[in-house]
Amino acid sequence: MLGSTHGTLTSDLRARVVACGEPTGDAVHETAAVTDAAGEADVSGRPLYAAVPDLDRFFRPSSVAVVGASDTEGRPNAGITRQLVAWAERVGARLHPVHPSRASVFGRACVRSVRDLPAPVDLAVLLVSDPLPVVEELAEAKARFAVAFASGYAETGPEGAAAQARLAAAAERAGVRLLGPNTNLNAFEHFRDDLEGPAVALVTQSGHQGRPVFALQELGVRLSHWAPTGNEADLESADFIAYFAEQPEVGAIACYLEGLRDGRSFLLAADRAARRKVPVVAVKVGRTETGARTAATHTGKLTGTDTVVDAAMRQYGVIRVDGLDELQDTAALLARARPPVSDGVAVYAISGGTGAHFADLATAAGLRIPRLSEARQAELHQWIPAYLNVANPVDNGGHPVGDERGRKIIDALLDDPAIGVLICPITGPFPPMSDRLAQDLVDAAETTDKLVCVVWGSPVGTEEAYRSTLLGSSRVATFRTFANCITAVRAHLAHHRFTNGYVSPFDEAPRTPSPSFRKAQALMRPGEQLSEHAAKQLLRAYGIRVPREQLVTSAAAAVRAAGLVGYPVVMKASAPRLAHKTELGLVRIGLTSASQVRDAYRELTDIARYEGIELDGVLVCQMVERGVEMVVGVTQDALFGPTVTAGLGGVLVEVLNDVAVRVPPFGEDQARAMLAELRGRALLEGVRGGPPVDVDALVEVVLRVQRMALELGGVLSELDINPLMVLPRGQGAVALDALAVCR
């Protein structure tokens, strides 16, 4: 149903939403059918499921052509060719050097052009400054994939963007999937094959920014793939995310993103990963104007409005982090950790100060550190002196070295059903106690399904307990800072909470227009801002409640309308392209008599005449009081298309800027989550003796506005319902004013 993902709408709310024109019937698609349904589109004509490219022969080709191959020492292409020769040998691929004036390269016979290749190739690596002519020839070579190494395309400006478009068009004509341009050869690095367990797959738009994650192999974390996407003329980050989500060896996907080629493609890829419970962790630059500008000059990407990007990632469970150190630590933990049995965190420290410090930071970040039961505390005091606090954090005063007490303490904490994660912050090495503590933690981790984390705070990092004991264990997650540990554990718990209840909103997105859409079409005026009266008719078409009101063109008609609407009334000037009526003095409220109505009509029309505003009339409206003023609206984002906003409204909406954003489609759970994000959310529950308001009615309006965004996104540039008066619980919500701008 409209907007329903986690759980279902209440029966009353569902009935009212369906009455607005929501198609009924079973629209749920099983996960197994997603690939078959890749061609389906929603009511706006946009795809509902990701088409996953078959990239097996990109990462594991049977044959490779290197165009521009060289073995001349000191030349860049020689080093790259040598790397590709070694990589081809490791993956078992035949390598064919291509160069117009060489007979051989590194002892391999060389052909003059791709037309002369003895057989079709899976992959062509183009080490030439102008790859366009080569791409045009690849159709004859029946190549499946090509990598364009050259730069000087969209990252340089409009001329480069035009050249990139020509390159992409040539690849499409040749039937070749193209990686790049402005990329590198990180996909063909030496991946260690001696590491076990779930792997991290890496997607980066900048090759260098993936180096810290790639180096995780030196810490015992397996890496399976690296996709350096560059300018993404054809293959984009979303393609690789969707592909990696299907690979059984991938435990987490780590991304460095400067921009997104297409917002919907990214969300569909994230949706595919969420369906399969594969975590996606991303650094996404562009939080600031400077970062966005720099990213555009690097890979020619549109970074998008950061508020919308952030909201879209949260909707689909993408874990956004800020630093590359957070990216590597969080991805490594999510790839290797088993699902949590509880979200309770136990902090075990050899210092009361360390435990208190860590607990402060963890609690502020939203981790739950439950107080241990009296029985559990009594058990711990068998091995820990009675004067030390063991309620959680657990202060042992110094981990026992000479006997088995230390291990018994750790086992007792891991046996507690309230505890799902054990974290031991070690601020610095203190042999032999820290050595024994590390070994006890590793041994205990081997016997439990619960997550065991260690923060090794030594700046040196050469200690045996760290290098061999902790890093040698695949069952202990080891960090170097408190902050990164907390970030990763929070992400781990949040990911499993999210995926355990995840139902794709694309499954229930509307496919066909509602009756409301047909009514709304007649009201649209291309390129114009509608009058308030027309904008309210648009809302009424979608079942959104507006006040009783009449549009009048004379003082006498205004008096008659006031009698029908019922005193007190509000009077407002109504005209296309008229916004900010209050600032112009074009609103009168609380009118209680016919004389006041006549005077108000004359005043409003006089002001409009003085301001040069051509009115379509004056609205005489029911006066609605006793509620919380909210704002709900639709805006257009360059990356994601129509987006829905909800927040605190009224005349101070720009000052307060307390709004939340979602990208359609989304469900009732996300509509409620929007309200939970607001700083002023307590107003909805009632403050200073006021009654709680009708949150269900507010959620209903958000979902109806979302339906408008989906159906009218191609013709509606902007919608602003402000204020939306949310009345006390059970009394609904009323749109007191509305602004609509047509595209």
Side-chain angles (χ1 to χ4, degrees):
M1 288 302 164
L2 173 61
S4 177
T5 56
H6 302 259
T8 57
L9 297 173
T10 63
S11 58
D12 181 54
L13 178 53
R14 181 188 298 276
R16 285 180 285 171
V17 172
V18 171
C20 148
E22 167 64 22
T24 60
D26 182 11
V28 177
H29 292 251
E30 295 298 329
T31 298
V34 169
T35 302
D36 296 334
E40 287 198 42
D42 68 9
V43 68
S44 70
R46 295 189 295 172
L48 286 168
Y49 302 103
V52 183
D54 182 359
L55 297 170
D56 291 349
R57 288 300 184 184
F58 175 85
F59 289 106
R60 289 278 176 176
S62 60
S63 56
V64 182
V66 180
V67 183
S70 173
D71 56 5
T72 302
E73 292 302 329
R75 300 298 297 272
N77 278 14
I80 296 172
T81 305
R82 184 182 290 109
Q83 174 191 343
L84 290 168
V85 167
W87 170 75
E89 290 176 350
R90 286 195 301 272
V91 300
R94 297 185 305 277
L95 186 137
H96 303 283
V98 180
H99 196 284
S101 60
R102 293 177 181 270
S104 66
V105 172
F106 289 122
R108 288 168 168 78
C110 195
V111 297
R112 293 177 58 83
S113 77
V114 293
R115 290 193 180 98
D116 301 321
L117 289 168
V121 294
D122 291 325
L123 173 66
V125 181
L126 313 183
L127 307 181
V128 293
S129 58
D130 182 10
L132 180 60
V134 182
V135 169
E136 291 173 336
E137 296 175 352
L138 287 176
E140 298 179 38
K142 295 183 172 56
R144 300 176 65 176
F145 298 97
V147 178
F149 190 66
S151 58
Y153 288 90
E155 77 277 11
T156 64
E159 289 186 10
Q164 183 169 304
R166 290 192 293 272
L167 185 64
E172 184 175 8
R173 288 193 301 272
V176 176
R177 298 308 308 268
L178 178 70
L179 181 70
N182 190 28
T183 185
N184 53 42
L185 305 179
N186 297 134
F188 317 124
E189 295 277 358
H190 183 191
F191 293 85
R192 287 179 56 177
D193 56 10
D194 60 330
L195 300 174
E196 297 180 352
V200 175
L202 182 56
V203 182
T204 64
Q205 288 174 343
S206 168
H208 191 67
Q209 290 293 85
R211 286 288 163 194
V213 177
F214 186 72
L216 282 172
Q217 294 178 107
E218 301 310 309
L219 302 181
V221 179
R222 182 182 171 201
L223 267 287
S224 60
H225 306 79
W226 188 351
T229 58
N231 282 14
E232 301 188 357
D234 175 26
L235 286 169
E236 58 182 310
S237 300
D239 291 319
F240 289 99
I241 292 170
Y243 172 79
F244 291 152
E246 300 285 347
Q247 306 311 305
E249 71 271 27
V250 172
I253 303 169
C255 307
Y256 170 81
L257 306 173
E258 294 180 346
L260 303 175
R261 181 180 167 198
D262 178 79
R264 174 57 72 100
S265 296
F266 178 79
L267 296 185
L268 291 173
D271 171 67
R272 181 168 288 272
R275 290 171 185 266
R276 285 150 181 76
K277 303 184 185 297
V278 178
V280 180
V281 188
V283 169
K284 168 65 176 66
V285 301
R287 288 193 186 275
T288 66
E289 182 181 347
T290 301
R293 186 171 61 249
T294 304
T297 59
H298 182 219
T299 56
K301 277 291 180 305
L302 183 66
T303 55
T305 305
D306 192 70
T307 302
V308 179
V309 171
D310 203 55
M313 286 184 168
R314 284 199 308 276
Q315 276 180 248
Y316 291 89
V318 177
I319 299 152
R320 190 175 183 183
V321 296
D322 292 321
L324 297 178
D325 57 332
E326 294 175 291
L327 179 64
Q328 64 183 26
D329 282 352
T330 304
L333 175 66
L334 285 165
R336 303 169 81 185
R338 300 176 186 180
V341 298
S342 167
D343 67 352
V345 176
V347 179
Y348 177 58
I350 60 176
S351 160
T354 301
H357 183 197
F358 191 93
D360 266 354
L361 296 173
T363 302
L367 296 184
R368 188 174 69 89
I369 302 179
R371 182 181 179 85
L372 299 179
S373 67
E374 295 299 326
R376 186 66 65 185
Q377 292 185 53
E379 181 184 7
L380 292 172
H381 276 310
Q382 296 178 69
W383 312 296
I384 297 175
Y387 60 84
L388 293 174
N389 182 13
V390 295
N392 197 14
V394 175
D395 176 10
N396 60 27
H399 187 74
V401 174
D403 52 40
E404 297 301 316
R405 287 177 296 156
R407 175 63 191 276
K408 289 180 178 180
I409 295 169
I410 295 170
D411 286 343
L413 291 172
L414 291 171
D415 285 342
D416 195 310
I419 300 302
V421 182
L422 173 64
I423 302 177
C424 182
I426 304 172
T427 52
F430 191 64
M433 181 171 42
S434 53
D435 296 353
R436 178 61 181 269
L437 174 56
Q439 189 61 58
D440 283 347
L441 288 164
V442 167
D443 292 343
E446 295 293 337
T447 66
T448 181
D449 287 338
K450 296 184 178 181
L451 177 59
V452 177
C453 300
V454 175
V455 181
W456 189 263
S458 167
V460 179
T462 58
E463 300 85 0
E464 187 72 14
Y466 171 66
R467 299 298 303 181
S468 296
T469 307
L470 293 174
L471 295 184
S473 170
S474 62
R475 296 288 297 123
V476 172
T478 303
F479 303 87
R480 301 302 299 278
T481 67
F482 284 14
N484 279 16
C485 177
I486 291 167
T487 296
V489 171
R490 181 179 59 190
H492 167 65
L493 297 173
H495 165 72
H496 287 282
R497 262 195 315 271
F498 178 84
T499 56
N500 285 343
Y502 185 73
V503 178
S504 172
F506 292 112
D507 285 345
E508 298 188 349
R511 273 101 166 140
T512 57
S514 66
S516 301
F517 173 65
R518 290 185 282 276
K519 296 177 186 176
Q521 278 183 307
L523 299 169
M524 306 306 287
R525 299 290 181 269
E528 294 186 13
Q529 176 184 312
L530 301 182
S531 69
E532 178 183 338
H533 182 60
K536 284 180 175 175
Q537 287 181 303
L538 186 64
L539 299 184
R540 190 180 289 113
Y542 276 89
I544 297 171
R545 181 178 164 193
V546 299
R548 296 190 302 275
E549 64 182 36
Q550 290 192 20
L551 182 69
V552 300
T553 56
S554 70
V559 171
R560 288 193 298 273
L564 292 172
V565 168
Y567 288 102
V569 297
V570 176
M571 293 179 66
K572 296 186 279 187
S574 178
R577 298 177 297 281
L578 176 57
H580 305 294
K581 294 184 287 290
T582 302
E583 288 88 334
L584 293 173
L586 292 174
V587 179
R588 297 290 185 273
I589 64 173
L591 306 177
T592 58
S593 68
S595 61
Q596 287 181 338
V597 168
R598 279 191 293 269
D599 290 344
Y601 184 89
R602 286 193 293 269
E603 291 169 0
L604 294 175
T605 53
D606 286 347
I607 293 172
R609 193 176 303 111
Y610 176 79
E611 296 288 347
I613 299 170
E614 186 175 345
L615 298 180
D616 60 5
V618 172
L619 283 172
V620 180
C621 310
Q622 171 194 12
M623 187 166 176
V624 179
E625 299 180 276
R626 293 188 66 246
V628 173
E629 292 186 341
M630 301 291 290
V631 59
V632 179
V634 176
T635 57
Q636 294 287 337
D637 182 78
L639 275 175
F640 295 98
T643 63
V644 176
T645 59
L648 294 184
V651 295
L652 296 179
V653 62
E654 291 91 353
V655 177
L656 297 173
N657 194 28
D658 189 9
V659 296
V661 183
R662 289 297 184 274
V663 179
F666 58 85
E668 182 189 358
D669 63 323
Q670 289 291 339
R672 293 186 186 277
M674 291 174 76
L675 306 181
E677 290 174 14
L678 301 176
R679 297 189 301 276
R681 59 188 175 275
L683 292 172
L684 302 176
E685 301 302 323
V687 294
R688 294 184 176 273
V693 301
D694 198 336
V695 173
D696 284 347
L698 174 56
V699 169
E700 178 185 346
V701 171
V702 172
L703 294 176
R704 291 178 185 272
V705 167
Q706 178 196 209
R707 185 64 185 250
M708 295 175 68
L710 285 168
E711 294 191 344
L712 302 175
V715 293
L716 182 65
S717 176
E718 180 183 351
L719 175 70
D720 190 21
I721 306 173
N722 183 30
L724 174 72
M725 187 69 80
V726 187
L727 304 175
R729 185 174 292 164
Q731 298 181 31
V734 185
L736 302 188
D737 199 351
L739 178 149
V741 181
C742 304
R743 303 181 80 171

